[in-house]
């Protein structure tokens, strides 16, 4: 059986013990993962803290840091088949998605490699002739990066890239579910030549590992992706040391189809928005709001497309929907569907777990028009379940779309440009996709509002989150300082 190791201070080491990792396609143990507890967390944070000010890292120019990130990007690209296969094996995410996503991962590292020497301070035109004043953008210190299981390589690249470009050091905590690809990433970080302690990668559980990390007094910033309840724990932990946080959380994103939309194109986007990655995507367009006049036609297209989806083993390149990552995940979905049916929702397609081994659940569509409080309409299920509500007017669509505490993404399908602009302005979400869905780029900020989080990943702004501003005043006059009792 394969065993993985932690990566701490430039060494591959065992943890306090081991925990089993299940293959979601069979439900059987396939590997053993190292468990980091307090001792290992402390060692990792101490290593990152020492590396932060050691000359091997602190003495590097920004351009040199960028070169290390370029090297990491190349290594990720070279190792793509192994990384994608590991992610598929350990999380059940289909290989056609993991192998495509790994190309994005390399692109994110390249984007931040190029950005490293473009994080600039500013010269300030102060109204004092004997002063030169400027700002420096300095790294905040040790970053704790915590990710969930659904896209660990991608979600860690959007944290490691800007943090390292800015000059921070990092302790990256993999999820307890499916940590294999991140532990493997340690080998590439090591090979890229980052000095020991700059990047440390650990795996472990929330209470024994994540909570210890977020409370550590040497952690300056926590970049967290996960659920809103866990985020509240993270923020409480951060508050003990006044560490800053950036939070990328879940969603219940509306996907709005007006009666003038190109229905075929909208249906493909909706299928991608809810059934790709088996629905385990933070930006899943899990609430379809469809205008009454096209509801039946649109649902008929969706039903046909859903019926044609190939559900099979995730390591088969032709598979479109694979297993969910955990049995817990599948059982939560089953319970939510039962409760929704009791609340008046109707199953249009799917709704029952598939027989056999593994954590499979079929693409499911629920009509919730008469069940406004159904769990599958309100809660983030993180699975292949689409909840549908019909609307009559634009105002009603907007009211339904914004009737949630989440605010990550929204999709709008219409050919009416002025209506699209009105929707863009009034939708409460961090990302609005018009006539498209689930598109990302390292150049474009990504994040949400409300229960969907705070801060943005991607783009220049994300790198600035890992910096702090130092203002420098330099007096250029040799004359004695005038009246010391007056503030200059
Ligand atoms: P989770 O919140 O249960 O776990 C996320 C991480 O937090 C894991 O590594 C876990 O070990 C750790 N953790 C748990 N308790 C902790 C604690 N007390 N202190 C510190 N760390 C702790 O999330 P999950 O179920 O693994 O993932 C699914 C969630 O992630 C969904 O809500 C999904 O929407 C969200 N997500 C968001 C984005 C985004 O970018 N907005 C992307 C992917 C997933």
């Amino acid at each position: 059986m394969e065993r993985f190791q932690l990566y701490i201070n430039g060494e591959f080491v065992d943890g306090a013990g081991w925990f089993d990792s299940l293959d979601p396609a069979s439900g059987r143990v396939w590997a053993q993962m190292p468990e980091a507890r307090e001792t290992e967390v402390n060692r990792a944070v101490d290593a990152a803290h020492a590396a932060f000010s050691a000359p091997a890292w602190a003495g590097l120019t920004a351009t040199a840091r960028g070169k290390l990130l370029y090297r990491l990007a190349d290594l990720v690209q070279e190792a793509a088949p192994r990384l994608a296969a590991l992610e598929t094996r350990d999380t059940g995410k289909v290989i056609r998605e993991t192998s495509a996503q790994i190309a994005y991962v390399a692109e994110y590292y390249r984007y931040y490699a190029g950005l490293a020497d473009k994080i600039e301070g500013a010269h300030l035109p102060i109204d004092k002739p004997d002063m030169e004043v400027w700002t420096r953008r300095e790294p905040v210190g040790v970053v704790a990066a915590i990710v969930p299981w659904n896209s660990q390589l991608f979600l860690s690249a959007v944290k490691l890239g800007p943090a390292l470009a800015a000059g921070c050091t990092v302790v990256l905590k993999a999820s307890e579910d499916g940590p294999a690809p991140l532990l493997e990433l340690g080998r590439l970080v090591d090979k890229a030549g980052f000095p020991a302690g700059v990047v440390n990668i650990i795996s472990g559980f929330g209470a024994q590992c994540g909570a210890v990390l977020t409370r550590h007094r040497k952690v300056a910033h926590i970049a967290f992706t996960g659920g809103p309840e866990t985020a509240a724990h993270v923020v409480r932990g951060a508050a003990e040391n006044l560490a800053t946080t950036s939070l990328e959380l879940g969603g219940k994103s509306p996907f709005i189809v007006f009666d003038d939309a190109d229905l075929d194109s909208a249906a493909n986007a909706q299928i991608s928005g809810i059934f790709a990655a088996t629905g385990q995507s933070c930006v899943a367009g899990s609430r379809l709001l469809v205008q009454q006049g096209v509801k039946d036609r649109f649902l008929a297209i969706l039903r046909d497309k859903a019926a044609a989806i190939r559900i099979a083993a995730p390591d088969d390149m032709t598979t479109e929907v694979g297993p969910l990552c955990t049995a817990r995940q599948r059982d939560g979905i089953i319970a939510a569907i039962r409760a929704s049916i009791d609340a008046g929702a109707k199953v249009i397609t799917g709704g029952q777990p598939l027989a056999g081994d593994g954590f499979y659940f079929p693409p499911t569509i629920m009509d919730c028009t008469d069940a406004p409080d159904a769990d599958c309409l309100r809660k983030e299920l993180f699975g292949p379940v689409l909840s549908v509500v019909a609307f009559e007017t634009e105002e009603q669509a907007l009211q339904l779309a914004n009737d949630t505490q989440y605010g990550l993404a929204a999709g709008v399908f219409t050919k009416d440009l002025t209506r699209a602009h009105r929707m863009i302005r009034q939708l409460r979400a961090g990302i609005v996709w018009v006539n498209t869905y689930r598109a990302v780029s390292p150049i474009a900020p990504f994040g949400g509002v409300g229960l969907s989080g705070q801060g943005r990943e991607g783009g220049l702004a994300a790198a600035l989150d890992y910096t702090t501003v130092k203002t420098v005043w330099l007096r250029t006059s040799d004359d004695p300082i005038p009246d010391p009792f007056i503030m200059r």
Side-chain angles (χ1 to χ4, degrees):
M1 185 166 303
E2 210 165 332
R3 273 190 165 180
F4 289 77
Q5 285 187 298
L6 309 171
Y7 181 58
I8 298 177
N9 203 20
E11 288 177 0
F12 295 93
V13 294
D14 293 342
W18 302 95
F19 61 95
D20 291 338
S21 215
L22 303 187
D23 177 347
S26 66
R28 286 189 278 279
V29 178
W30 78 278
Q32 289 202 305
M33 302 298 163
E35 186 185 351
R37 287 177 167 251
E38 189 164 2
T39 306
E40 292 75 25
V41 172
N42 286 342
R43 283 180 49 211
V45 177
D46 285 345
H49 193 254
F52 180 70
S53 42
W57 179 244
L60 289 184
T61 62
T63 308
R65 290 199 303 270
K67 282 186 181 155
L68 285 171
L69 277 167
Y70 276 123
R71 174 104 182 97
L72 179 60
D74 290 345
L75 290 168
V76 165
Q77 198 170 332
E78 278 167 30
R82 163 118 176 116
L83 291 172
L86 274 178
E87 189 161 22
T88 291
R89 185 79 198 265
D90 213 14
T91 68
K93 190 165 173 159
V94 296
I95 190 78
R96 70 200 268 177
E97 166 97 336
T98 53
S99 39
Q101 206 176 49
I102 200 78
Y104 281 107
V105 171
E107 281 316 304
Y108 272 79
Y109 282 120
R110 286 204 179 96
Y111 174 81
Y112 284 107
L115 200 68
D117 56 11
K118 289 152 199 85
I119 300 172
E120 298 170 347
H123 184 267
L124 307 181
I126 297 293
D127 184 23
K128 299 180 196 296
D130 61 340
M131 295 281 195
E132 287 292 330
V133 182
W134 69 94
T135 56
R136 292 166 49 84
R137 283 266 172 192
E138 297 188 347
V140 286
V142 175
V143 171
I146 301 178
V147 293
W149 43 266
N150 62 319
S151 289
Q152 303 208 44
L153 288 165
F154 181 71
L155 296 172
S156 53
V158 299
K159 297 172 177 55
L160 273 181
L164 296 173
C168 296
T169 56
V170 182
V171 177
L172 173 60
K173 181 204 165 305
S175 169
E176 58 272 44
D177 298 313
L182 271 204
L183 296 171
E184 182 72 9
L185 183 73
R187 308 223 159 262
L188 308 183
V189 168
D190 196 63
K191 210 166 160 190
F194 285 92
V198 170
V199 180
N200 306 273
I201 304 179
I202 58 177
S203 53
F205 294 87
Q208 299 81 1
C209 177
V212 180
L213 181 58
T214 51
R215 290 204 156 82
H216 202 294
R217 67 179 178 82
K218 290 181 184 165
V219 168
H221 180 79
I222 302 165
F224 173 79
T225 300
E229 283 172 21
T230 315
H233 287 296
V234 167
V235 171
R236 279 192 284 271
E240 289 183 16
N241 302 295
L242 299 183
T244 51
T245 55
S246 47
L247 309 171
E248 296 293 342
L249 313 178
K252 196 72 197 172
S253 300
F255 187 104
I256 307 163
V257 178
F258 286 98
D259 55 12
D260 64 341
D262 175 337
L263 293 188
D264 276 327
S265 174
N268 271 346
Q270 176 67 91
I271 294 287
S272 150
I274 188 63
F275 298 137
T278 317
Q280 300 166 109
S281 166
C282 53
V283 291
S286 54
R287 284 188 300 143
L288 167 61
L289 309 179
V290 58
Q291 202 153 16
Q292 187 64 52
V294 292
K295 179 185 172 192
D296 290 345
R297 202 143 47 95
F298 192 61
L299 287 184
I301 302 174
L302 280 185
R303 216 179 12 237
D304 288 349
K305 285 185 186 287
I309 286 173
R310 183 170 148 71
I311 309 167
D315 60 355
D316 179 336
M317 232 352 168
T318 63
T319 298
E320 292 164 330
V321 164
L324 293 154
C325 182
T326 62
R328 186 180 72 243
Q329 191 71 12
R330 181 201 51 196
D331 297 345
I333 291 170
I334 294 170
I337 287 183
R338 278 204 197 114
S340 300
I341 293 170
D342 290 346
K346 294 180 191 66
V347 177
I348 296 174
T349 186
Q352 297 284 346
L354 300 176
D357 291 340
F359 311 137
Y360 289 90
F361 197 87
T364 293
I365 305 178
M366 307 281 294
D367 191 340
C368 295
T369 305
D370 299 323
D373 295 318
D375 278 2
C376 61
L377 190 60
R378 294 276 160 198
K379 292 187 178 167
E380 183 192 41
L381 301 191
F382 223 56
V385 181
L386 177 65
S387 303
V388 184
V389 177
F391 68 87
E392 299 279 355
T393 64
E394 185 181 312
E395 292 68 33
Q396 207 187 348
L398 195 62
Q399 185 272 323
L400 287 166
N402 286 342
D403 183 19
T404 172
Q405 276 188 285
Y406 288 108
L408 187 53
V412 180
F413 278 75
T414 179
K415 290 197 181 122
D416 180 337
L417 192 61
T418 53
R419 173 157 64 195
H421 276 282
R422 286 193 297 274
M423 296 298 287
I424 292 165
R425 220 179 293 145
Q426 297 175 83
L427 281 165
R428 201 172 151 274
I431 305 158
V432 179
W433 284 301
V434 181
N435 295 330
T436 185
Y437 205 80
R438 212 164 167 256
V440 293
S441 158
I443 301 164
F446 182 101
V449 299
L451 278 193
S452 292
Q454 300 160 1
R456 292 293 176 268
E457 291 187 323
L460 171 63
L464 299 184
D465 272 359
Y466 294 93
T467 68
T468 179
V469 174
K470 180 180 280 175
T471 308
V472 186
W473 293 76
L474 189 149
R475 185 161 178 257
T476 55
S477 167
D478 292 330
D479 295 343
I481 291 198
D483 189 346
F485 297 101
I486 297 174
M487 191 165 79
R488 288 214 68 202

